[in-house]
Amino acid sequence: MSGPVETFDAVVLAGGRGSRLGGVDKPALRVGERSLLGSVVGAAAGAGARLVVVVGPERRELAAELGELRVVREEPPGGGPVPAVRTGLAEVGAPWVAVLAADLPFLRSGQLVSLLAAAREADAAGAVLADDTGHLQWLVGCWRTVVLREAAGNYQGGSLHGLLWPLRPVVLAPAHDRGGPPPWLDCDTADDVRLARTWSNVPAGSEGRKPR
Protein backbone atom coordinates (compact mmCIF):
# COMPACT_ATOMS: atom_id res chain seq x y z
CA MET A 1 0.00 0.00 0.00
CA SER A 2 1.40 3.39 -0.92
CA GLY A 3 0.42 7.02 -0.76
CA PRO A 4 0.29 9.65 1.94
CA VAL A 5 -0.32 8.73 5.53
CA GLU A 6 -3.88 9.33 6.66
CA THR A 7 -4.81 12.17 8.99
CA PHE A 8 -3.69 11.64 12.57
CA ASP A 9 -3.97 13.28 15.96
CA ALA A 10 -1.42 13.00 18.78
CA VAL A 11 -1.91 12.31 22.47
CA VAL A 12 1.05 13.30 24.65
CA LEU A 13 1.09 11.92 28.20
CA ALA A 14 2.45 14.68 30.43
CA GLY A 15 0.92 14.03 33.83
CA GLY A 16 3.63 12.01 35.57
CA ARG A 17 4.90 12.99 39.01
CA GLY A 18 8.60 12.95 38.09
CA SER A 19 9.27 10.85 41.20
CA ARG A 20 12.69 9.69 39.99
CA LEU A 21 13.64 13.32 39.41
CA GLY A 22 12.79 14.48 42.91
CA GLY A 23 9.26 15.54 42.00
CA VAL A 24 10.21 18.24 39.47
CA ASP A 25 7.89 19.01 36.57
CA LYS A 26 9.69 16.70 34.14
CA PRO A 27 7.96 17.73 30.87
CA ALA A 28 8.99 21.36 31.53
CA LEU A 29 12.70 20.53 31.89
CA ARG A 30 14.80 21.96 29.10
CA VAL A 31 17.17 20.02 26.88
CA GLY A 32 18.79 22.28 24.34
CA GLU A 33 16.56 25.14 23.32
CA ARG A 34 13.28 23.39 24.06
CA SER A 35 11.43 21.82 26.94
CA LEU A 36 10.98 18.06 26.82
CA LEU A 37 7.28 18.56 26.18
CA GLY A 38 8.03 21.14 23.50
CA SER A 39 10.26 18.70 21.63
CA VAL A 40 7.54 16.04 21.51
CA VAL A 41 4.80 18.50 20.55
CA GLY A 42 7.09 19.84 17.83
CA ALA A 43 7.72 16.35 16.46
CA ALA A 44 3.99 15.64 16.28
CA ALA A 45 3.23 18.96 14.64
CA GLY A 46 6.09 18.51 12.18
CA ALA A 47 4.73 15.10 11.17
CA GLY A 48 1.41 16.73 10.31
CA ALA A 49 -0.73 16.07 13.39
CA ARG A 50 -4.17 17.63 12.95
CA LEU A 51 -4.56 18.02 16.71
CA VAL A 52 -2.15 17.61 19.63
CA VAL A 53 -3.77 16.70 22.95
CA VAL A 54 -1.61 17.04 26.04
CA VAL A 55 -2.86 15.01 29.00
CA GLY A 56 -1.63 16.64 32.19
CA PRO A 57 -1.68 19.93 34.06
CA GLU A 58 -1.67 23.32 32.38
CA ARG A 59 1.83 24.69 31.92
CA ARG A 60 1.29 28.37 31.28
CA GLU A 61 5.01 29.11 31.41
CA LEU A 62 5.39 27.04 28.22
CA ALA A 63 2.48 28.65 26.36
CA ALA A 64 4.68 30.71 24.03
CA GLU A 65 6.75 27.66 23.12
CA LEU A 66 3.90 25.19 22.71
CA GLY A 67 1.34 27.37 20.93
CA GLU A 68 -2.32 26.38 20.72
CA LEU A 69 -2.89 23.01 22.35
CA ARG A 70 -5.78 21.09 23.80
CA VAL A 71 -4.86 20.28 27.40
CA VAL A 72 -6.96 17.81 29.38
CA ARG A 73 -6.49 16.17 32.77
CA GLU A 74 -6.75 12.46 33.42
CA GLU A 75 -8.97 11.28 36.25
CA PRO A 76 -7.68 10.82 38.85
CA PRO A 77 -4.78 13.24 38.24
CA GLY A 78 -1.56 11.24 38.14
CA GLY A 79 -3.56 8.03 37.86
CA GLY A 80 -1.20 6.44 35.38
CA PRO A 81 -0.79 5.98 31.65
CA VAL A 82 -3.89 3.91 30.92
CA PRO A 83 -6.38 6.47 32.33
CA ALA A 84 -4.36 9.16 30.56
CA VAL A 85 -4.66 7.33 27.23
CA ARG A 86 -8.43 7.00 27.69
CA THR A 87 -8.74 10.70 28.49
CA GLY A 88 -6.69 11.71 25.48
CA LEU A 89 -8.59 9.38 23.15
CA ALA A 90 -11.85 11.10 24.10
CA GLU A 91 -10.56 14.20 22.28
CA VAL A 92 -9.33 12.41 19.15
CA GLY A 93 -11.28 12.52 15.90
CA ALA A 94 -8.70 11.44 13.30
CA PRO A 95 -8.49 7.83 12.05
CA TRP A 96 -4.97 7.46 13.45
CA VAL A 97 -3.47 8.56 16.75
CA ALA A 98 0.12 8.84 17.96
CA VAL A 99 0.49 8.07 21.67
CA LEU A 100 3.66 9.63 23.01
CA ALA A 101 5.53 10.26 26.25
CA ALA A 102 6.32 13.88 27.08
CA ASP A 103 10.01 13.28 27.86
CA LEU A 104 11.55 12.35 24.49
CA PRO A 105 13.97 15.14 23.55
CA PHE A 106 15.26 13.41 20.41
CA LEU A 107 12.00 12.18 18.90
CA ARG A 108 11.63 13.67 15.43
CA SER A 109 8.77 13.99 12.98
CA GLY A 110 10.39 11.51 10.58
CA GLN A 111 10.07 8.70 13.11
CA LEU A 112 6.34 9.36 13.53
CA VAL A 113 5.81 9.46 9.78
CA SER A 114 7.63 6.11 9.52
CA LEU A 115 5.51 4.56 12.27
CA LEU A 116 2.28 5.69 10.64
CA ALA A 117 3.38 4.43 7.24
CA ALA A 118 4.51 1.07 8.66
CA ALA A 119 1.17 0.44 10.39
CA ARG A 120 -0.82 1.51 7.36
CA GLU A 121 1.21 -0.52 4.86
CA ALA A 122 0.96 -3.64 7.03
CA ASP A 123 -2.78 -3.10 7.58
CA ALA A 124 -1.99 -3.42 11.29
CA ALA A 125 -3.62 -1.99 14.41
CA GLY A 126 -0.55 0.12 15.03
CA ALA A 127 3.22 0.40 15.09
CA VAL A 128 5.66 1.03 17.92
CA LEU A 129 9.31 1.96 18.13
CA ALA A 130 11.86 -0.52 19.46
CA ASP A 131 15.20 0.44 20.93
CA ASP A 132 18.51 -1.08 19.87
CA THR A 133 18.02 -4.01 22.28
CA GLY A 134 14.61 -4.82 20.79
CA HIS A 135 12.67 -3.49 23.78
CA LEU A 136 9.32 -2.05 22.69
CA GLN A 137 8.70 1.60 23.52
CA TRP A 138 4.97 1.70 24.21
CA LEU A 139 4.93 5.48 24.46
CA VAL A 140 6.35 5.95 20.98
CA GLY A 141 3.59 4.44 18.87
CA CYS A 142 0.89 5.15 16.32
CA TRP A 143 -2.48 3.38 16.30
CA ARG A 144 -5.78 3.05 14.50
CA THR A 145 -8.00 5.20 16.68
CA VAL A 146 -11.06 2.96 16.60
CA VAL A 147 -9.02 -0.14 17.54
CA LEU A 148 -7.19 1.57 20.40
CA ARG A 149 -10.37 3.18 21.72
CA GLU A 150 -12.16 -0.17 21.82
CA ALA A 151 -9.22 -1.88 23.48
CA ALA A 152 -8.88 0.87 26.11
CA GLY A 153 -12.61 0.72 26.84
CA ASN A 154 -12.49 -3.02 27.49
CA TYR A 155 -9.18 -3.20 29.34
CA GLN A 156 -9.34 -3.57 33.11
CA GLY A 157 -5.64 -3.43 33.95
CA GLY A 158 -3.17 -0.63 34.50
CA SER A 159 -0.17 -1.39 32.28
CA LEU A 160 0.44 -0.14 28.76
CA HIS A 161 1.98 -3.49 27.86
CA GLY A 162 -1.22 -5.24 28.88
CA LEU A 163 -3.31 -2.80 26.85
CA LEU A 164 -1.19 -2.59 23.70
CA TRP A 165 0.63 -5.91 23.29
CA PRO A 166 -2.55 -7.86 22.39
CA LEU A 167 -3.05 -5.48 19.44
CA ARG A 168 0.07 -7.00 17.79
CA PRO A 169 1.62 -3.82 16.44
CA VAL A 170 4.29 -3.62 13.79
CA VAL A 171 7.69 -3.08 15.43
CA LEU A 172 9.95 -0.45 13.91
CA ALA A 173 13.64 -0.21 14.82
CA PRO A 174 14.92 2.96 13.14
CA ALA A 175 18.56 3.33 12.23
CA HIS A 176 20.46 5.95 14.16
CA ASP A 177 24.02 7.01 14.81
CA ARG A 178 25.22 4.79 17.66
CA GLY A 179 27.33 7.66 18.94
CA GLY A 180 24.41 10.07 18.94
CA PRO A 181 21.07 10.46 20.67
CA PRO A 182 18.49 7.73 20.02
CA PRO A 183 14.87 8.80 19.44
CA TRP A 184 13.62 6.52 22.21
CA LEU A 185 15.70 8.13 24.96
CA ASP A 186 13.29 9.15 27.72
CA CYS A 187 14.43 11.35 30.57
CA ASP A 188 13.29 9.41 33.62
CA THR A 189 16.29 10.08 35.85
CA ALA A 190 18.81 12.82 36.53
CA ASP A 191 21.41 10.75 34.66
CA ASP A 192 19.10 10.59 31.63
CA VAL A 193 18.71 14.37 31.67
CA ARG A 194 22.46 14.90 31.99
CA LEU A 195 23.10 12.55 29.07
CA ALA A 196 20.50 14.28 26.91
CA ARG A 197 22.00 17.68 27.70
CA THR A 198 25.46 16.41 26.86
CA TRP A 199 24.21 15.33 23.45
CA SER A 200 22.58 18.73 23.05
CA ASN A 201 25.71 20.59 24.23
CA VAL A 202 23.87 22.18 27.14
CA PRO A 203 25.96 23.25 30.15
CA ALA A 204 25.37 21.11 33.22
CA GLY A 205 24.17 24.08 35.28
CA SER A 206 21.59 25.29 32.77
CA GLU A 207 18.01 26.25 33.53
CA GLY A 208 15.80 23.31 34.39
CA ARG A 209 18.49 21.27 36.12
CA LYS A 210 17.21 18.95 38.78
CA PRO A 211 17.32 20.73 42.15
CA ARG A 212 19.61 19.31 44.81
mmCIF file of all heavy atoms in Angstrom, residues 61-103:
data_model
loop_
_atom_site.group_PDB
_atom_site.id
_atom_site.type_symbol
_atom_site.label_atom_id
_atom_site.label_comp_id
_atom_site.label_asym_id
_atom_site.label_seq_id
_atom_site.Cartn_x
_atom_site.Cartn_y
_atom_site.Cartn_z
ATOM 1 N N GLU A 61 3.678 28.568 31.685
ATOM 2 C CA GLU A 61 5.005 29.111 31.407
ATOM 3 C C GLU A 61 5.551 28.620 30.075
ATOM 4 O O GLU A 61 6.496 29.197 29.536
ATOM 5 C CB GLU A 61 5.978 28.756 32.534
ATOM 6 C CG GLU A 61 6.451 27.305 32.583
ATOM 7 C CD GLU A 61 5.460 26.343 33.220
ATOM 8 O OE1 GLU A 61 4.309 26.760 33.495
ATOM 9 O OE2 GLU A 61 5.824 25.178 33.439
ATOM 10 N N LEU A 62 4.946 27.569 29.510
ATOM 11 C CA LEU A 62 5.388 27.043 28.223
ATOM 12 C C LEU A 62 4.463 27.456 27.082
ATOM 13 O O LEU A 62 4.640 27.004 25.944
ATOM 14 C CB LEU A 62 5.456 25.514 28.271
ATOM 15 C CG LEU A 62 6.407 24.888 29.294
ATOM 16 C CD1 LEU A 62 6.370 23.377 29.193
ATOM 17 C CD2 LEU A 62 7.823 25.404 29.103
ATOM 18 N N ALA A 63 3.496 28.318 27.364
ATOM 19 C CA ALA A 63 2.485 28.650 26.357
ATOM 20 C C ALA A 63 3.101 29.213 25.082
ATOM 21 O O ALA A 63 2.712 28.854 23.970
ATOM 22 C CB ALA A 63 1.470 29.635 26.936
ATOM 23 N N ALA A 64 4.083 30.103 25.218
ATOM 24 C CA ALA A 64 4.683 30.713 24.033
ATOM 25 C C ALA A 64 5.417 29.674 23.192
ATOM 26 O O ALA A 64 5.429 29.752 21.962
ATOM 27 C CB ALA A 64 5.643 31.829 24.451
ATOM 28 N N GLU A 65 6.021 28.695 23.838
ATOM 29 C CA GLU A 65 6.748 27.661 23.119
ATOM 30 C C GLU A 65 5.813 26.657 22.462
ATOM 31 O O GLU A 65 6.044 26.219 21.328
ATOM 32 C CB GLU A 65 7.687 26.925 24.081
ATOM 33 C CG GLU A 65 8.426 25.759 23.446
ATOM 34 C CD GLU A 65 9.230 24.949 24.461
ATOM 35 O OE1 GLU A 65 9.196 25.282 25.665
ATOM 36 O OE2 GLU A 65 9.885 23.994 24.037
ATOM 37 N N LEU A 66 4.743 26.286 23.164
ATOM 38 C CA LEU A 66 3.895 25.192 22.707
ATOM 39 C C LEU A 66 2.804 25.637 21.741
ATOM 40 O O LEU A 66 2.305 24.829 20.964
ATOM 41 C CB LEU A 66 3.254 24.497 23.915
ATOM 42 C CG LEU A 66 4.226 23.862 24.910
ATOM 43 C CD1 LEU A 66 3.463 23.259 26.081
ATOM 44 C CD2 LEU A 66 5.080 22.799 24.235
ATOM 45 N N GLY A 67 2.395 26.902 21.800
ATOM 46 C CA GLY A 67 1.337 27.366 20.926
ATOM 47 C C GLY A 67 -0.020 26.849 21.371
ATOM 48 O O GLY A 67 -0.234 26.479 22.526
ATOM 49 N N GLU A 68 -0.951 26.804 20.417
ATOM 50 C CA GLU A 68 -2.318 26.377 20.718
ATOM 51 C C GLU A 68 -2.382 24.862 20.871
ATOM 52 O O GLU A 68 -2.090 24.114 19.942
ATOM 53 C CB GLU A 68 -3.266 26.827 19.608
ATOM 54 C CG GLU A 68 -3.450 28.330 19.529
ATOM 55 C CD GLU A 68 -4.168 28.891 20.747
ATOM 56 O OE1 GLU A 68 -5.014 28.172 21.324
ATOM 57 O OE2 GLU A 68 -3.867 30.026 21.128
ATOM 58 N N LEU A 69 -2.758 24.427 22.065
ATOM 59 C CA LEU A 69 -2.887 23.006 22.345
ATOM 60 C C LEU A 69 -4.202 22.746 23.058
ATOM 61 O O LEU A 69 -4.759 23.634 23.705
ATOM 62 C CB LEU A 69 -1.752 22.526 23.266
ATOM 63 C CG LEU A 69 -0.335 22.462 22.696
ATOM 64 C CD1 LEU A 69 0.613 22.083 23.817
ATOM 65 C CD2 LEU A 69 -0.248 21.464 21.571
ATOM 66 N N ARG A 70 -4.661 21.525 22.961
ATOM 67 C CA ARG A 70 -5.776 21.094 23.798
ATOM 68 C C ARG A 70 -5.180 20.360 24.993
ATOM 69 O O ARG A 70 -4.499 19.341 24.827
ATOM 70 C CB ARG A 70 -6.724 20.193 23.021
ATOM 71 C CG ARG A 70 -8.003 19.856 23.798
ATOM 72 C CD ARG A 70 -8.989 19.129 22.918
ATOM 73 N NE ARG A 70 -9.352 19.927 21.741
ATOM 74 C CZ ARG A 70 -10.178 19.513 20.788
ATOM 75 N NH1 ARG A 70 -10.723 18.303 20.861
ATOM 76 N NH2 ARG A 70 -10.447 20.298 19.762
ATOM 77 N N VAL A 71 -5.399 20.878 26.176
ATOM 78 C CA VAL A 71 -4.863 20.280 27.398
ATOM 79 C C VAL A 71 -6.024 19.728 28.216
ATOM 80 O O VAL A 71 -6.992 20.437 28.493
ATOM 81 C CB VAL A 71 -4.070 21.312 28.229
ATOM 82 C CG1 VAL A 71 -3.514 20.664 29.503
ATOM 83 C CG2 VAL A 71 -2.929 21.907 27.399
ATOM 84 N N VAL A 72 -5.929 18.457 28.576
ATOM 85 C CA VAL A 72 -6.957 17.805 29.380
ATOM 86 C C VAL A 72 -6.275 17.098 30.539
ATOM 87 O O VAL A 72 -5.079 16.822 30.513
ATOM 88 C CB VAL A 72 -7.780 16.806 28.547
ATOM 89 C CG1 VAL A 72 -8.579 17.527 27.474
ATOM 90 C CG2 VAL A 72 -6.901 15.744 27.916
ATOM 91 N N ARG A 73 -7.059 16.796 31.565
ATOM 92 C CA ARG A 73 -6.488 16.166 32.771
ATOM 93 C C ARG A 73 -7.103 14.804 32.957
ATOM 94 O O ARG A 73 -8.336 14.643 32.889
ATOM 95 C CB ARG A 73 -6.790 17.060 33.989
ATOM 96 C CG ARG A 73 -5.918 16.745 35.200
ATOM 97 C CD ARG A 73 -4.477 17.177 34.937
ATOM 98 N NE ARG A 73 -3.679 17.214 36.138
ATOM 99 C CZ ARG A 73 -2.685 16.364 36.407
ATOM 100 N NH1 ARG A 73 -2.417 15.382 35.583
ATOM 101 N NH2 ARG A 73 -1.973 16.498 37.497
ATOM 102 N N GLU A 74 -6.251 13.804 33.163
ATOM 103 C CA GLU A 74 -6.751 12.465 33.423
ATOM 104 C C GLU A 74 -7.407 12.419 34.802
ATOM 105 O O GLU A 74 -7.133 13.255 35.662
ATOM 106 C CB GLU A 74 -5.626 11.429 33.326
ATOM 107 C CG GLU A 74 -4.650 11.419 34.494
ATOM 108 C CD GLU A 74 -3.532 12.436 34.331
ATOM 109 O OE1 GLU A 74 -3.707 13.450 33.625
ATOM 110 O OE2 GLU A 74 -2.480 12.229 34.956
ATOM 111 N N GLU A 75 -8.267 11.437 34.975
ATOM 112 C CA GLU A 75 -8.966 11.276 36.252
ATOM 113 C C GLU A 75 -8.738 9.858 36.767
ATOM 114 O O GLU A 75 -9.090 8.883 36.087
ATOM 115 C CB GLU A 75 -10.466 11.542 36.060
ATOM 116 C CG GLU A 75 -11.265 11.574 37.347
ATOM 117 C CD GLU A 75 -10.782 12.651 38.311
ATOM 118 O OE1 GLU A 75 -10.501 13.774 37.887
ATOM 119 O OE2 GLU A 75 -10.678 12.318 39.522
ATOM 120 N N PRO A 76 -8.141 9.730 37.991
ATOM 121 C CA PRO A 76 -7.676 10.825 38.846
ATOM 122 C C PRO A 76 -6.364 11.403 38.324
ATOM 123 O O PRO A 76 -5.628 10.702 37.604
ATOM 124 C CB PRO A 76 -7.464 10.135 40.200
ATOM 125 C CG PRO A 76 -7.086 8.727 39.828
ATOM 126 C CD PRO A 76 -7.898 8.402 38.607
ATOM 127 N N PRO A 77 -6.054 12.660 38.664
ATOM 128 C CA PRO A 77 -4.779 13.239 38.237
ATOM 129 C C PRO A 77 -3.608 12.382 38.707
ATOM 130 O O PRO A 77 -3.559 11.959 39.863
ATOM 131 C CB PRO A 77 -4.776 14.611 38.923
ATOM 132 C CG PRO A 77 -6.222 14.944 39.081
ATOM 133 C CD PRO A 77 -6.896 13.632 39.386
ATOM 134 N N GLY A 78 -2.685 12.099 37.791
ATOM 135 C CA GLY A 78 -1.555 11.243 38.135
ATOM 136 C C GLY A 78 -1.920 9.791 38.261
ATOM 137 O O GLY A 78 -1.164 9.004 38.840
ATOM 138 N N GLY A 79 -3.071 9.393 37.697
ATOM 139 C CA GLY A 79 -3.560 8.028 37.860
ATOM 140 C C GLY A 79 -2.860 6.985 37.017
ATOM 141 O O GLY A 79 -3.159 5.807 37.137
ATOM 142 N N GLY A 80 -1.949 7.406 36.160
ATOM 143 C CA GLY A 80 -1.197 6.438 35.379
ATOM 144 C C GLY A 80 -1.474 6.552 33.894
ATOM 145 O O GLY A 80 -2.363 7.283 33.452
ATOM 146 N N PRO A 81 -0.702 5.811 33.101
ATOM 147 C CA PRO A 81 -0.789 5.977 31.651
ATOM 148 C C PRO A 81 -2.079 5.487 31.025
ATOM 149 O O PRO A 81 -2.530 6.050 30.026
ATOM 150 C CB PRO A 81 0.418 5.184 31.139
ATOM 151 C CG PRO A 81 0.728 4.203 32.220
ATOM 152 C CD PRO A 81 0.374 4.892 33.499
ATOM 153 N N VAL A 82 -2.682 4.433 31.555
ATOM 154 C CA VAL A 82 -3.892 3.910 30.916
ATOM 155 C C VAL A 82 -5.058 4.892 31.055
ATOM 156 O O VAL A 82 -5.715 5.212 30.053
ATOM 157 C CB VAL A 82 -4.235 2.508 31.456
ATOM 158 C CG1 VAL A 82 -5.586 2.048 30.913
ATOM 159 C CG2 VAL A 82 -3.146 1.510 31.074
ATOM 160 N N PRO A 83 -5.358 5.428 32.254
ATOM 161 C CA PRO A 83 -6.382 6.469 32.331
ATOM 162 C C PRO A 83 -6.050 7.686 31.473
ATOM 163 O O PRO A 83 -6.947 8.312 30.886
ATOM 164 C CB PRO A 83 -6.412 6.831 33.820
ATOM 165 C CG PRO A 83 -5.910 5.633 34.518
ATOM 166 C CD PRO A 83 -4.882 5.048 33.609
ATOM 167 N N ALA A 84 -4.757 8.017 31.378
ATOM 168 C CA ALA A 84 -4.361 9.157 30.557
ATOM 169 C C ALA A 84 -4.638 8.896 29.084
ATOM 170 O O ALA A 84 -5.097 9.788 28.354
ATOM 171 C CB ALA A 84 -2.889 9.475 30.776
ATOM 172 N N VAL A 85 -4.359 7.680 28.618
ATOM 173 C CA VAL A 85 -4.656 7.335 27.228
ATOM 174 C C VAL A 85 -6.155 7.447 26.970
ATOM 175 O O VAL A 85 -6.585 8.010 25.952
ATOM 176 C CB VAL A 85 -4.138 5.919 26.900
ATOM 177 C CG1 VAL A 85 -4.713 5.432 25.571
ATOM 178 C CG2 VAL A 85 -2.620 5.908 26.849
ATOM 179 N N ARG A 86 -6.971 6.915 27.877
ATOM 180 C CA ARG A 86 -8.426 7.001 27.688
ATOM 181 C C ARG A 86 -8.889 8.451 27.616
ATOM 182 O O ARG A 86 -9.725 8.815 26.776
ATOM 183 C CB ARG A 86 -9.142 6.292 28.842
ATOM 184 C CG ARG A 86 -9.002 4.787 28.862
ATOM 185 C CD ARG A 86 -10.014 4.164 29.812
ATOM 186 N NE ARG A 86 -9.789 2.734 29.947
ATOM 187 C CZ ARG A 86 -9.182 2.155 30.970
ATOM 188 N NH1 ARG A 86 -8.736 2.894 31.986
ATOM 189 N NH2 ARG A 86 -9.014 0.857 31.011
ATOM 190 N N THR A 87 -8.354 9.292 28.484
ATOM 191 C CA THR A 87 -8.737 10.704 28.491
ATOM 192 C C THR A 87 -8.344 11.380 27.187
ATOM 193 O O THR A 87 -9.123 12.133 26.598
ATOM 194 C CB THR A 87 -8.078 11.420 29.681
ATOM 195 O OG1 THR A 87 -8.528 10.815 30.901
ATOM 196 C CG2 THR A 87 -8.444 12.894 29.697
ATOM 197 N N GLY A 88 -7.131 11.115 26.726
ATOM 198 C CA GLY A 88 -6.690 11.706 25.475
ATOM 199 C C GLY A 88 -7.508 11.234 24.290
ATOM 200 O O GLY A 88 -7.864 12.022 23.400
ATOM 201 N N LEU A 89 -7.833 9.939 24.255
ATOM 202 C CA LEU A 89 -8.594 9.385 23.146
ATOM 203 C C LEU A 89 -9.985 10.011 23.029
ATOM 204 O O LEU A 89 -10.545 10.082 21.929
ATOM 205 C CB LEU A 89 -8.738 7.873 23.304
ATOM 206 C CG LEU A 89 -7.519 7.028 22.956
ATOM 207 C CD1 LEU A 89 -7.750 5.574 23.345
ATOM 208 C CD2 LEU A 89 -7.201 7.125 21.467
ATOM 209 N N ALA A 90 -10.533 10.475 24.146
ATOM 210 C CA ALA A 90 -11.855 11.099 24.103
ATOM 211 C C ALA A 90 -11.856 12.376 23.265
ATOM 212 O O ALA A 90 -12.915 12.832 22.819
ATOM 213 C CB ALA A 90 -12.332 11.404 25.524
ATOM 214 N N GLU A 91 -10.673 12.956 23.052
ATOM 215 C CA GLU A 91 -10.558 14.196 22.278
ATOM 216 C C GLU A 91 -10.215 13.951 20.811
ATOM 217 O O GLU A 91 -10.243 14.884 20.006
ATOM 218 C CB GLU A 91 -9.457 15.082 22.890
ATOM 219 C CG GLU A 91 -9.606 15.341 24.372
ATOM 220 C CD GLU A 91 -10.857 16.137 24.682
ATOM 221 O OE1 GLU A 91 -11.170 17.060 23.905
ATOM 222 O OE2 GLU A 91 -11.523 15.827 25.695
ATOM 223 N N VAL A 92 -9.883 12.725 20.474
ATOM 224 C CA VAL A 92 -9.330 12.412 19.153
ATOM 225 C C VAL A 92 -10.446 12.159 18.146
ATOM 226 O O VAL A 92 -11.403 11.434 18.431
ATOM 227 C CB VAL A 92 -8.405 11.180 19.254
ATOM 228 C CG1 VAL A 92 -8.025 10.647 17.884
ATOM 229 C CG2 VAL A 92 -7.154 11.545 20.054
ATOM 230 N N GLY A 93 -10.316 12.748 16.955
ATOM 231 C CA GLY A 93 -11.282 12.520 15.900
ATOM 232 C C GLY A 93 -10.689 11.967 14.620
ATOM 233 O O GLY A 93 -11.424 11.571 13.714
ATOM 234 N N ALA A 94 -9.360 11.926 14.514
ATOM 235 C CA ALA A 94 -8.696 11.442 13.304
ATOM 236 C C ALA A 94 -8.670 9.911 13.292
ATOM 237 O O ALA A 94 -8.795 9.269 14.340
ATOM 238 C CB ALA A 94 -7.273 11.991 13.236
ATOM 239 N N PRO A 95 -8.502 9.296 12.120
ATOM 240 C CA PRO A 95 -8.489 7.829 12.046
ATOM 241 C C PRO A 95 -7.258 7.185 12.665
ATOM 242 O O PRO A 95 -7.283 5.999 12.977
ATOM 243 C CB PRO A 95 -8.566 7.549 10.544
ATOM 244 C CG PRO A 95 -8.073 8.786 9.882
ATOM 245 C CD PRO A 95 -8.466 9.913 10.777
ATOM 246 N N TRP A 96 -6.184 7.957 12.836
ATOM 247 C CA TRP A 96 -4.970 7.455 13.449
ATOM 248 C C TRP A 96 -4.592 8.361 14.611
ATOM 249 O O TRP A 96 -4.919 9.546 14.622
ATOM 250 C CB TRP A 96 -3.806 7.435 12.449
ATOM 251 C CG TRP A 96 -3.964 6.437 11.354
ATOM 252 C CD1 TRP A 96 -4.597 6.634 10.163
ATOM 253 C CD2 TRP A 96 -3.488 5.093 11.333
ATOM 254 N NE1 TRP A 96 -4.541 5.501 9.397
ATOM 255 C CE2 TRP A 96 -3.866 4.535 10.090
ATOM 256 C CE3 TRP A 96 -2.778 4.307 12.242
ATOM 257 C CZ2 TRP A 96 -3.555 3.216 9.740
ATOM 258 C CZ3 TRP A 96 -2.467 3.005 11.890
ATOM 259 C CH2 TRP A 96 -2.855 2.468 10.655
ATOM 260 N N VAL A 97 -3.907 7.775 15.600
ATOM 261 C CA VAL A 97 -3.474 8.559 16.748
ATOM 262 C C VAL A 97 -2.067 8.119 17.157
ATOM 263 O O VAL A 97 -1.774 6.922 17.241
ATOM 264 C CB VAL A 97 -4.454 8.422 17.938
ATOM 265 C CG1 VAL A 97 -4.623 6.969 18.376
ATOM 266 C CG2 VAL A 97 -4.013 9.288 19.113
ATOM 267 N N ALA A 98 -1.195 9.098 17.374
ATOM 268 C CA ALA A 98 0.119 8.837 17.957
ATOM 269 C C ALA A 98 -0.004 8.995 19.463
ATOM 270 O O ALA A 98 -0.558 9.986 19.944
ATOM 271 C CB ALA A 98 1.151 9.814 17.406
ATOM 272 N N VAL A 99 0.488 8.024 20.204
ATOM 273 C CA VAL A 99 0.493 8.073 21.667
ATOM 274 C C VAL A 99 1.948 8.170 22.107
ATOM 275 O O VAL A 99 2.747 7.265 21.850
ATOM 276 C CB VAL A 99 -0.191 6.841 22.277
ATOM 277 C CG1 VAL A 99 -0.125 6.896 23.798
ATOM 278 C CG2 VAL A 99 -1.645 6.753 21.820
ATOM 279 N N LEU A 100 2.273 9.282 22.771
ATOM 280 C CA LEU A 100 3.663 9.625 23.010
ATOM 281 C C LEU A 100 3.904 10.044 24.452
ATOM 282 O O LEU A 100 3.047 10.675 25.074
ATOM 283 C CB LEU A 100 4.079 10.787 22.097
ATOM 284 C CG LEU A 100 3.808 10.603 20.600
ATOM 285 C CD1 LEU A 100 4.000 11.919 19.867
ATOM 286 C CD2 LEU A 100 4.693 9.510 20.024
ATOM 287 N N ALA A 101 5.086 9.718 24.966
ATOM 288 C CA ALA A 101 5.534 10.263 26.245
ATOM 289 C C ALA A 101 5.949 11.720 26.050
ATOM 290 O O ALA A 101 6.267 12.147 24.934
ATOM 291 C CB ALA A 101 6.703 9.455 26.792
ATOM 292 N N ALA A 102 5.974 12.453 27.144
ATOM 293 C CA ALA A 102 6.322 13.879 27.079
ATOM 294 C C ALA A 102 7.783 14.146 27.382
ATOM 295 O O ALA A 102 8.169 15.297 27.548
ATOM 296 C CB ALA A 102 5.454 14.666 28.066
ATOM 297 N N ASP A 103 8.617 13.091 27.425
ATOM 298 C CA ASP A 103 10.008 13.279 27.860
ATOM 299 C C ASP A 103 10.998 12.703 26.856
ATOM 300 O O ASP A 103 11.993 12.096 27.224
ATOM 301 C CB ASP A 103 10.223 12.650 29.234
ATOM 302 C CG ASP A 103 9.960 11.150 29.261
ATOM 303 O OD1 ASP A 103 9.432 10.616 28.257
ATOM 304 O OD2 ASP A 103 10.298 10.499 30.269
#
